[in-house]
Amino acid sequence: MPFDVQGRLVPGAVPSTRKPPPSIVRPPYVGRAAPPAYSGDNTYTEEEIGRIRASGRIASRALDAVGEAVRPGVTTAELDRVAYESVVSQGAYPSTLGYRGYPASSCTSVNEVICHGIPDDTVLREGDIVNVDVTAYLDGFHGDTNRTFRVGEVSEEVDLLVERTHEAMMRGIKAAKPGRQVNVIGRVIETYAKRFDYGVVRDFTGHGVGSSFHTGLIIPHYDSAPAYADVIVPGMVFTVEPMLTLGTHEWDQWDDGWTVTTRDGSVTAQFEHTILVREDGYEILTVSE
Ligand code: MF3
Ligand code: CO
Ligand code: CO
């Protein structure tokens, strides 16, 4: 079911939605159509940053656990179960669960799926790649991170795409310095990606994150200047999460209202961190240690 005769992904069976124990505090949007409007800026006090860091650590540790579970034969639903158990056992809520109606604790995006893949009965095969995106919510703050995992051995072309997508994210993060406009991040990412003729996805972006899952601040991964001219300041928190493809940046969306694929079926990879901008550099808030 999950791969058609051409090897393209098709929708599978989605397991029933999980319900964390009542001791796990839910974000305000759960059970509503949309999150409440966010009115704050994108800077935080040290105390608040400590909370984003705690949530970020939980999400990162959940990805560590997911990574241990990735192998040929595993389903994306099983990876989502691992993510759920990890986040909830650390006392946090998996932010995607019930976000605008999203049914799972992670996004699992396989091969040509750019982002927002819904975990289902898709059985991963040697040579596939799968991006797993986990956000944790604890004490009023979210930490958002994703990684692309290789399933067994992958082709050299795909291996390099994964490696270079990680490098593109790191270059974007390092470009985020106080006094610059946020559009510097995408400029650096696009310039690097174009060396290899990769597609750079434009319509899904990084974002401010903190007490709100998506604050309204947008961080493009392409060169958007003179647009997206918000000036980076110390204490700002946002994600950098580039999606690069072996072909087009154009996309289609499945009828499930979530799954986004490359229009040409080309393979695509993504990495994401939540970062804090400091006076003298950056701190990655989504790390396990
Ligand atoms: N974590 C994703 C991001 O990086 C958002 C997923 S929203 C969902 O912004 F509803 F699709 F889960
Ligand atoms: Co994000
Ligand atoms: Co994410």
Side-chain angles (χ1 to χ4, degrees), residues 44 67 69 74 98 165 231 243 274:
Y44 302 88
V74 78
T165 304
V231 175
M243 289 141 272
T274 297

Side-chain angles (χ1 to χ4, degrees), residues 19-279:
K19 213 178 152 79
S23 58
I24 302 288
V25 177
R26 283 134 174 79
Y29 50 77
V30 174
R32 303 182 188 195
Y38 178 74
S39 56
D41 69 6
N42 290 278
T43 64
Y44 302 88
T45 64
E46 283 300 332
E47 199 268 326
E48 292 168 327
I49 289 162
R51 294 188 193 204
I52 303 173
R53 191 184 288 112
S55 294
R57 182 182 303 118
I58 290 167
S60 178
R61 288 179 175 171
L63 288 184
D64 294 343
V66 168
E68 296 291 324
V70 172
R71 54 174 172 75
V74 78
T75 64
T76 51
E78 170 64 7
L79 299 181
D80 184 65
R81 190 192 64 76
V82 171
Y84 171 86
E85 297 293 348
S86 177
V87 169
V88 168
S89 72
Q90 296 178 81
Y93 185 90
S95 306
T96 59
L97 190 60
Y99 178 75
R100 298 181 184 272
Y102 189 81
S105 304
S106 61
C107 299
T108 55
S109 301
V110 177
N111 298 346
E112 71 269 25
V113 178
I114 294 173
C115 60
H116 303 167
I118 300 175
D120 63 12
D121 60 351
T122 300
V123 178
L124 297 177
R125 311 159 302 182
E126 177 110 16
D128 289 334
I129 58 173
V130 59
N131 177 278
V132 182
D133 191 333
V134 174
T135 307
Y137 178 80
L138 182 71
D139 286 342
F141 289 84
H142 301 268
D144 184 6
T145 183
N146 75 50
R147 300 179 202 157
T148 298
F149 300 101
R150 299 162 178 86
V151 183
E153 281 230 4
V154 304
S155 70
E156 187 185 14
E157 187 185 37
V158 168
D159 185 65
L160 286 172
L161 174 71
V162 173
E163 191 57 43
R164 290 166 176 163
T165 304
H166 184 267
E167 174 68 16
M169 173 188 68
M170 290 310 303
R171 287 178 181 230
I173 290 172
K174 286 170 187 160
K177 295 195 174 160
R180 296 177 172 174
Q181 298 177 352
V182 300
N183 58 33
V184 71
I185 295 167
R187 185 148 59 251
V188 164
I189 289 170
E190 182 166 27
T191 301
Y192 177 71
K194 284 299 156 200
R195 277 206 224 166
F196 313 105
D197 216 27
Y198 293 151
V200 179
V201 172
R202 303 166 71 91
D203 296 338
F204 299 88
T205 65
H207 52 92
V209 61
S211 50
S212 179
F213 191 174
H214 298 97
T215 66
L217 172 68
I218 292 192
I219 311 290
H221 303 114
Y222 62 96
D223 187 0
S224 61
Y228 302 99
D230 307 78
V231 175
I232 299 170
V233 295
M236 237 177 167
V237 174
F238 51 80
T239 73
V240 178
E241 48 181 305
M243 289 141 272
L244 303 185
T245 85
L246 290 178
T248 186
H249 67 268
E250 292 188 301
W251 53 276
D252 289 313
Q253 192 166 38
W254 287 0
D255 292 338
D256 62 16
W258 288 106
T259 309
V260 177
T261 67
T262 54
R263 186 157 285 175
D264 59 3
S266 63
V267 172
T268 166
Q270 181 180 25
F271 284 87
E272 173 178 29
H273 274 310
T274 297
I275 70 157
L276 161 68
V277 178
R278 291 199 175 280
E279 209 71 72

